[in-house]
Amino acid sequence: MDLSQRQKVGSGGPYEDLVGYSRVLVTGPFAYVAGTTAGSDGSAIPPGIVAQTRQTVEIIRQKLAQVSYTLDDVVRVRMFVMDIKRDWEQVACVMNEYFAEIKPVMTMVQVAALIDEQMLIEVEMDAVAKNSIAILGSDVPYNSMASKEYLPDGTSPTPHRRTMLHQHDQQPSDPEDPAEPSFYSENVDRYAAKNHQRVTLRSLLHMCEPPLTREGLLSNAQYLCRERPVRYAKRVKLFQQLPYIVNLNPHINEVYKIYYGNFEESRKFPMVQSTRDQEQFVDMLARQSRVLRDIMPDIARGFYECQRYFGTDERSRFLDQLIKMRIGLRLLTSQYIAQYHQYQATLNGEYEKETENHRYQGIIDNRLYLAEMVHLCAQSVQAMCDMTYGQAPDFIIDGQTDVSFRYIPSHLHYMLTELLKNAFRATLLVAKDNNKHRPVLVTVSEGSGRVAIRIRDYGGGIPLKIHPRIFDYSFTTVTHHSMDDEPLPGSTDGTLGSSSGAQPPIAGLGFGLPMTKVYAEYFGGSLNLISMEGYGCDAFIELPSIDLTKAPKIQI
């Protein structure tokens, strides 16, 4: 056989030149991966079977990518482990992360020794180019098969042309070309079909517990690197399931493009392996988070304009799913970014300063003072009212005003701001009739590991006939002469890493209460409204303190 027709790829490992072998060898449509271990690329061998298995698969994935193959092309996996009885279940879990949907044939055997005593597992893989699989079992000779498979003109492909054609199959468009997202993307379908690799709240809390280590930071980065494209793909598919006319709405279509763009960027980002990789990864996460921070006003406007095209239940299912997905990924992303910065602070001897003497565990405030947050949000809403109406009601905070609990500040800030906006606006509308208004009363309390907040206004209450619809998306009592009318600007839904942050307004579009309810219930809380028509309204919000005793029950 003409050896020039082969493609050979090395990984820079110490034994390849010594023994005389390639890490990957491509011949025809077949790619063969040599026995690979953690450290085969010259990197340090991590401790533990899980870390070694994951690093080994990532090395193989990167080397296959150099010859335009992916793990989806793998048809056989062989695993050689030092202690099969002890390690097989952990190895199986890692392999399932990568191959649950692909399902190649696999073999696992125990061996007496590997070349380095630190090594616990070695892996071999065989892959076949996708377009060849369908005819590998036919009677067509290889030379004929290659020409029919790759070259429509019937000529024999050179290795370079074969590689380029395979790249075309895998990447229908130039990665650098910002083409319009397609509603029929094979990549989206493939990633969306994968299962979430959910983490528990306990794991989220442990991410930022000292001592912070480079290994822990790298492990979390690699988890996010694998998980983000899956979660983005599921969001893209969620949009694709909407009625087509809804996706044509310019506001919704703009959000769809953002999610699709983030999916493509996340899918193409190489696996994080080094400190430099992590810096670039954090930059990408921060950039994507900034873009996504301002999408809810567009979603709210789009659904307000399209509400006649589909029913309330369908709309609610979509938006509940979207918002929960949004919260989950933002939590994971923001907690990792916080972990990254706290680790850097540890290296510089500034951990205590960065965390305010252990008050902050990533994005979670271990001593969030409830009355202080209420006061901050109430002052902010007062400023909105002053800008819009030229006046603002007073407010009173009473109850157990020294209460603190463990929670995410930006979640609480968002919920309080939305509820206070409703209370302040109702109070001012009643004041138009009698030129006076009573202050909004906020009562805070604590009990049995939970806190409760009651926001009471004297703004005339909610009419009984509309009470069943108050948690429906796009339902609003605000009358719009045009879609540009926004009677009370200033809704917030800031980044998870801060306790506040302005976002373009969505007041009057019917999203405040239903979104607040989703936020409240995400960690097991609740939101209830009790109205006395003609008098006023009480909004009750109850939230659990985020602690390890509740953590095992919650997955993100």
Side-chain angles (χ1 to χ4, degrees), residues 54-320:
R54 188 167 283 131
Q55 188 183 107
T56 299
V57 176
E58 288 301 331
I59 291 171
I60 293 173
R61 173 152 60 177
Q62 292 173 13
K63 296 308 163 186
L64 283 173
Q66 291 184 22
V67 288
S68 303
Y69 285 74
T70 72
L71 293 182
D72 286 357
D73 299 315
V74 171
V75 295
R76 180 183 293 277
V77 180
R78 303 177 188 87
M79 294 159 281
F80 307 95
V81 297
M82 291 294 295
D83 191 332
I84 196 167
K85 184 176 181 180
R86 180 193 66 195
D87 293 339
W88 81 265
E89 290 188 17
Q90 295 182 79
V91 172
C93 287
V94 176
M95 288 297 174
N96 187 64
E97 292 178 16
Y98 292 94
F99 295 107
E101 305 299 326
I102 304 167
K103 288 187 167 52
V105 296
M106 291 188 180
T107 302
M108 185 188 299
V109 297
Q110 181 170 308
V111 295
L114 294 172
I115 200 166
D116 188 314
E117 63 181 12
Q118 297 180 73
M119 297 173 179
L120 302 175
I121 182 171
E122 182 170 316
V123 179
E124 293 179 356
M125 294 189 193
D126 301 335
V128 182
K130 281 183 179 178
N131 290 345
S132 299
I133 293 176
I135 58 174
L136 284 178
S138 70
D139 295 328
V140 181
Y142 168 71
N143 290 338
S144 174
M145 179 184 76
S147 63
K148 289 185 178 181
E149 172 59 28
Y150 291 102
L151 300 179
D153 61 7
T155 59
S156 178
T158 64
H160 175 72
R161 293 186 71 187
R162 183 181 294 117
T163 299
M164 293 304 294
L165 284 161
H166 186 77
Q167 287 177 331
H168 177 73
D169 290 334
Q170 298 296 318
Q171 302 269 3
S173 58
D174 184 346
E176 303 301 323
D177 180 19
E180 288 293 304
S182 168
F183 267 60
Y184 304 100
S185 167
E186 178 184 343
N187 289 323
V188 169
D189 290 343
R190 186 170 71 252
Y191 278 88
K194 297 181 180 181
N195 293 324
H196 280 324
Q197 297 297 318
R198 293 186 179 277
V199 299
T200 62
L201 182 56
R202 180 188 294 274
S203 300
L204 191 74
L205 293 170
H206 279 319
M207 276 177 63
C208 291
E209 280 189 348
L212 300 178
T213 64
R214 179 183 178 278
E215 291 75 20
L217 191 67
L218 180 61
S219 176
N220 291 326
Q222 291 176 340
Y223 162 75
L224 267 183
C225 205
R226 292 190 304 273
E227 185 70 5
R228 284 175 67 84
V230 174
R231 297 200 180 204
Y232 276 133
K234 290 183 183 294
R235 276 192 243 185
V236 171
K237 291 296 289 184
L238 198 63
F239 277 87
Q240 292 175 355
Q241 292 162 9
L242 290 171
Y244 185 65
I245 194 171
V246 175
N247 273 305
L248 292 178
N249 178 276
H251 302 294
I252 294 175
N253 188 255
E254 187 62 31
V255 174
Y256 175 82
K257 290 178 181 178
I258 290 172
Y259 277 132
Y260 191 95
N262 281 3
F263 162 72
E264 283 294 316
E265 185 179 23
S266 299
R267 179 179 68 84
K268 295 171 183 175
F269 196 92
M271 179 52 60
V272 177
Q273 299 288 1
S274 65
T275 301
R276 178 58 182 160
D277 292 345
Q278 289 192 67
E279 292 175 2
Q280 295 174 347
F281 189 53
V282 168
D283 287 344
M284 181 189 75
L285 298 182
R287 183 176 63 256
Q288 290 187 353
S289 296
R290 284 193 299 270
V291 172
L292 287 171
R293 183 180 59 192
D294 298 332
I295 66 168
M296 290 315 297
D298 279 326
I299 289 286
R301 284 183 176 276
F303 275 83
Y304 185 89
E305 293 172 358
C306 294
Q307 55 187 310
R308 65 183 179 276
Y309 296 126
F310 57 143
T312 300
D313 289 345
E314 185 181 1
R315 185 165 62 245
S316 294
R317 280 194 299 271
F318 171 88
L319 290 166
D320 281 349

Side-chain angles (χ1 to χ4, degrees), residues 440-457:
V440 172
L441 177 63
V442 185
T443 304
V444 297
S445 67
E446 178 187 33
S448 302
R450 303 173 76 86
V451 300
I453 308 157
R454 182 191 66 190
I455 299 175
R456 170 171 289 177
D457 69 67

Side-chain angles (χ1 to χ4, degrees), residues 351-364:
Y351 178 81
E352 302 292 333
K353 179 181 178 182
E354 177 73 17
T355 62
E356 296 188 19
N357 293 321
H358 300 273
R359 174 170 174 173
Y360 289 95
Q361 193 170 335
I363 59 172
I364 297 169

